[in-house]
Amino acid sequence: MSEIKYAAKVHAPDIEPRIRHPRIFEVFDELKAGEVMELTNDHDPKPLQYQFMMERKDSFEWEYLEEGPMLWRVAIEKR
């Protein structure tokens, strides 16, 4: 995923914790195949990646762009 053009950007800490993952999945589900969303977070979103693996198996590509210590950035592409 070089020269990424993002269809959506989500900064997870801006979303209320109880609806954070559902909202991220809503944004992802609105993407068309080949589109990419950028997720930023204040900690490693590894639990979300595992949730994607369970709930959206084979429908996404996950690439870390930045890995802390203050900010994590991930490109999530819809297949």
Side-chain angles (χ1 to χ4, degrees), residues 13-70:
D14 290 346
I15 304 169
E16 183 180 343
R18 67 181 182 82
I19 63 167
R20 187 171 293 151
H21 284 198
R23 180 65 188 126
I24 292 167
F25 277 102
E26 281 179 18
V27 173
F28 176 80
D29 290 342
E30 292 172 2
L31 297 176
K32 296 177 182 136
E35 290 186 329
V36 182
M37 66 181 279
E38 179 188 45
L39 173 69
T40 55
N41 205 357
D42 57 4
H43 63 274
D44 188 350
K46 185 64 75 177
L48 179 65
Q49 183 181 19
Y50 292 142
Q51 190 174 357
F52 262 89
M53 292 166 72
M54 295 297 295
E55 297 183 17
R56 301 296 188 277
K57 183 180 178 182
D58 299 326
S59 67
F60 74 98
E61 183 176 331
W62 182 283
E63 180 183 343
Y64 281 98
L65 305 171
E66 190 172 337
E67 296 185 65
M70 301 298 288

Side-chain angles (χ1 to χ4, degrees), residues 1-4 36 61-63 65 75-77:
M1 280 191 257
S2 58
E3 297 297 322
I4 301 169
V36 182
E61 183 176 331
W62 182 283
E63 180 183 343
L65 305 171
I76 307 170
E77 180 178 351

